[in-house]
Amino acid sequence: MEIQSKIAILDFGSQVSQLIARRLREIGVYSELFPFDVDLAELKEFHPGGIILSGGPFSVYDKEAPIRDLQPLIDMAPVLGICYGMQLLVKELGGVVEAAENREYGLNKVLWSQALHDDVPKEQKVWMSHGDVVKQIPEDFELLAVSQGGHPAAIRSKRVWAVQFHPEVSHTDHGLEILKAFALDLCQLKSSWNQKFIANYLLEEIQNKVAPNEHVLCALSGGVDSTVVATLLTKALGPERVHCVFVNNGLLRKNEFEEVKGIYQELKLNLHTVDAEARFLEKLKDIEDPEEKRKRIGRLFIEIFEEECHLHKDITYLGQGTLYPDVIESVSLRGSSVTIKSHHNVGGLPEKMNLKLIEPLRELFKDEVREIGEELGIPREILWRHPFPGPGLAVRVLGAITKEDLDTLREADHIFIRELKESGHYRKIWQAFAALLPVRSVGVQGDGRTYGKTIVLRAITSKDGMTADWYEFPSDFLRHVSNAITNEVKNINRVVYDVTSKPPATIEWE
Ligand code: XMP
């Protein structure tokens, strides 16, 4: 099964390059990001039906500006330049780019004299972010639109379109239509990348990759990605060859192990459960430092998977739920950022275990994973649950962990989530949870003095977890949850709500 319609996006360092890929896929056109200086031969091998040059933080005159010869790209496929991509095209094709007197940043309007496609109003609201402007367009190009400042905002030649604004961001009206017109009209591609196609394509990929005598070990976490990976692998290879391991590490939420186990059984996965609560708690005894907690949890997971590897002698693959954003992080011009938290705590797994990796979701975005999850019949309860960190409640009981504190937190968290679901807030929130603070405070309950612990509630909105804002509850809701927690959970006499965005805070408290 071949993907027929593909667009390559050359990343010149914009913060929103990923969005271009997501938007194209929404249109049903498969697209991948490449570094701006990707080898021509590698690009050819991808067989792009169109090429997009992304925006970027540079001026084309910067010493370190990313520059490449564009004619071979134009010879290969129709090209769309966005922002920096437009300026580079103009400069390389003989036009003139200059530093602007006034930087155009944020919301702007463009006035079209000729449209790139139907249905666009003459005046269009767009998002811009650029210091340089096009002073003179190259020969063979026609001017289609200008910005409020009177600078060229859209130009076109036979095989090249270029826009100064960002059609991929939601602040730009009709942006999607411009990408669609480029992909479907200029490039003549077909819109075929949809739920059904993706699921069938992935199943076939798995069957081609894993030889008939080989088996796969698959770690389950209760989250969307690992559930979709396990279900896909099982569907492609049959349950006898896909050994799914679900570990109770004692750091899961209330009833989570049993509930998720039930769902896995319904999905007919070949499930092996491991009760390792005591082992994890022993390893975490007296450990206060969050990174040390993560390391110990990661190492113990590895130990357990190594043991489970003996489930079958023909296990040669490890299934992992790596997604496309993890893959392109290493492609990006921006390079890797400082480690704030070591999130990928099972990273060393395959090397140590001498297994090959199979990552069926590595070309997909999260929303696509959810869509195939639906196609595969995975319950919405799993597909739409909030993200949950690998080290679980270990990073939500602050400081040293005890079973008693974990149980207290489980009760409080359960009440919070229950109320969120009942009130309808749950779906509007990206992630919500309770954490247990290592402080005690004085309270009064009935006629007596209490000296209890504090629960902090956190609820945030976010697109990807990289930045986040706290969620605004009506005060009645917070009052109700606070009362429920202090009434129902022993040892808790104080509830606070976290009103910090990310940055400066992170989402988890540890
Ligand atoms: P932070 O706290 O860094 O969290 O703002 C961003 C997202 O990542 C999750 N998170 C983790 N996930 N292992 C994981 O698998 C971890 O060690 C870990 N720490 C944080 C967090 O829940 C949020 O969704």
Side-chain angles (χ1 to χ4, degrees):
M1 215 167 162
E2 285 263 328
I3 308 172
Q4 299 292 353
S5 289
K6 295 196 271 192
I7 286 187
I9 299 157
L10 267 49
D11 182 10
F12 286 87
S14 159
Q15 298 284 330
V16 287
S17 301
Q18 262 198 51
L19 264 185
I20 308 173
R22 290 176 70 158
R23 295 281 171 265
L24 288 168
R25 291 190 190 191
E26 272 172 43
I27 296 164
V29 174
Y30 181 75
S31 60
E32 273 188 30
L33 254 83
F34 292 84
F36 78 93
D37 55 355
V38 57
D39 203 50
L40 213 52
E42 187 185 335
L43 200 59
K44 266 200 189 119
E45 220 166 275
F46 178 70
H47 296 299
I51 297 174
I52 295 184
L53 313 178
S54 84
F58 301 92
S59 155
V60 284
Y61 295 113
D62 284 346
K63 258 209 196 111
E64 70 279 21
I67 285 184
R68 71 175 293 153
D69 189 6
L70 299 180
Q71 195 54 52
L73 302 182
I74 300 170
D75 294 340
M76 199 184 301
V79 170
L80 168 66
I82 294 175
C83 193
Y84 175 86
M86 168 169 181
Q87 293 166 359
L88 192 62
L89 275 164
V90 167
K91 178 168 171 275
E92 295 290 297
L93 299 178
V96 180
V97 176
E98 272 183 3
E101 278 167 23
N102 294 316
R103 213 178 132 73
E104 291 187 299
Y105 183 79
L107 278 184
N108 202 302
K109 260 189 222 148
V110 294
L111 302 169
W112 292 92
S113 48
Q114 283 188 69
L116 273 172
H117 61 98
D118 308 334
D119 313 330
V120 164
K122 279 229 152 350
E123 208 178 280
Q124 183 185 353
K125 198 175 81 182
V126 298
W127 180 263
M128 291 212 185
S129 166
H130 61 109
D132 290 349
V133 291
V134 172
K135 264 282 169 257
Q136 192 188 317
I137 67 175
E139 262 179 47
D140 303 332
F141 274 75
E142 50 181 336
L143 179 64
L144 306 177
V146 291
S147 68
Q148 264 171 323
H151 305 296
I155 58 174
R156 131 177 106 185
S157 71
K158 229 170 144 204
R159 273 172 80 78
V160 179
W161 290 5
V163 290
Q164 186 57 76
F165 54 89
H166 287 274
E168 70 276 25
V169 305
S170 56
H171 311 288
T172 294
D173 284 348
H174 305 285
L176 198 66
E177 276 114 300
I178 291 178
L179 294 174
K180 197 168 172 178
F182 172 71
L184 307 188
D185 300 344
L186 186 63
C187 303
Q188 292 282 304
L189 298 177
K190 295 232 154 25
S191 166
S192 56
W193 184 253
N194 55 38
Q195 199 162 316
K196 229 186 184 62
F197 179 90
I198 304 173
N200 288 332
Y201 168 75
L202 295 180
L203 290 172
E204 203 180 294
E205 291 265 289
I206 295 169
Q207 284 159 349
N208 289 340
K209 184 162 180 163
V210 183
N213 58 337
E214 291 181 303
H215 285 225
V216 186
L217 185 73
C218 200
L220 289 167
S221 71
V224 188
D225 307 339
S226 66
T227 309
V228 172
V229 167
T231 313
L232 266 174
L233 287 167
T234 303
K235 209 160 175 193
L237 307 173
E240 316 73 39
R241 292 168 61 202
V242 183
H243 309 268
C244 300
V245 179
F246 184 33
V247 180
N248 181 10
N249 57 9
L251 305 167
L252 299 173
R253 287 163 289 195
K254 188 174 172 183
N255 304 332
E256 187 167 19
F257 189 68
E258 289 307 321
E259 280 170 16
V260 172
K261 197 169 114 184
I263 294 176
Y264 289 154
Q265 281 162 343
E266 267 172 44
L267 286 169
K268 306 259 185 307
L269 302 182
N270 177 358
L271 187 67
H272 304 266
T273 54
V274 181
D275 188 357
E277 179 173 23
R279 285 170 76 180
F280 275 91
L281 293 191
E282 178 56 32
K283 272 274 186 301
L284 291 169
K285 197 162 173 242
D286 300 329
I287 303 301
E288 292 184 1
D289 176 61
E291 282 305 275
E292 184 58 28
K293 286 183 185 174
R294 282 189 170 80
K295 276 191 203 129
R296 286 175 180 240
I297 293 169
R299 279 202 297 263
L300 186 48
F301 263 122
I302 293 178
E303 241 178 82
I304 293 172
F305 286 124
E306 277 176 332
E307 291 161 18
E308 296 305 311
C309 221
H310 304 301
L311 275 172
H312 198 284
K313 65 175 181 22
D314 292 328
I315 292 179
T316 49
Y317 272 105
L318 179 80
Q320 273 199 342
T322 315
L323 302 191
Y324 194 48
D326 307 327
V327 177
I328 41 188
E329 217 160 71
S330 55
V331 169
S332 159
L333 251 190
R334 273 166 279 140
S336 57
S337 47
V338 195
T339 303
I340 310 284
K341 298 177 189 182
S342 49
H343 286 190
H344 302 287
N345 48 32
V346 284
L349 208 55
E351 255 167 69
K352 277 201 80 180
M353 292 165 59
N354 217 359
L355 293 179
K356 297 179 276 187
L357 261 189
I358 181 153
E359 300 170 302
L361 310 180
R362 63 179 280 123
E363 286 155 4
L364 303 189
F365 289 107
K366 191 87 174 184
D367 34 355
E368 293 172 314
V369 174
R370 289 208 173 99
E371 282 176 18
I372 330 177
E374 254 172 27
E375 186 70 27
L376 296 171
I378 296 169
R380 292 185 73 82
E381 201 182 325
I382 293 254
L383 296 180
W384 291 99
R385 56 175 29 197
H386 291 170
F388 186 65
L393 301 185
V395 291
R396 293 181 180 172
V397 168
L398 273 74
I401 294 165
T402 62
K403 169 103 167 70
E404 189 191 353
D405 280 348
L406 283 168
D407 285 339
T408 302
L409 176 58
R410 270 191 267 268
E411 287 305 320
D413 184 73
H414 177 70
I415 293 168
F416 185 33
I417 302 298
R418 175 189 78 201
E419 297 300 326
L420 285 175
K421 285 186 174 161
E422 273 175 21
S423 61
H425 287 296
Y426 187 87
R427 284 168 143 260
K428 299 183 206 151
I429 291 170
W430 198 78
Q431 191 170 5
F433 57 89
L436 184 71
L437 302 188
V439 285
R440 301 181 79 188
S441 71
V442 175
V444 52
Q445 248 162 343
D447 288 331
R449 173 188 189 273
T450 57
Y451 191 46
K453 292 207 170 171
T454 305
I455 280 288
V456 59
L457 305 177
R458 184 118 168 98
I460 53 108
T461 54
S462 175
K463 282 216 149 54
D464 49 15
M466 304 296 280
T467 58
D469 205 357
W470 56 278
Y471 182 79
E472 284 194 49
F473 286 112
S475 52
D476 277 357
F477 177 81
L478 287 174
R479 191 190 316 279
H480 174 70
V481 173
S482 166
N483 283 342
I485 291 177
T486 47
N487 284 337
E488 292 176 45
V489 187
K490 222 172 76 188
N491 305 333
I492 298 297
N493 65 353
R494 203 171 285 269
V495 176
V496 297
Y497 184 49
D498 183 349
V499 289
T500 332
S501 59
K502 172 184 179 175
T506 52
I507 295 172
E508 301 291 343
W509 270 56
E510 281 195 339

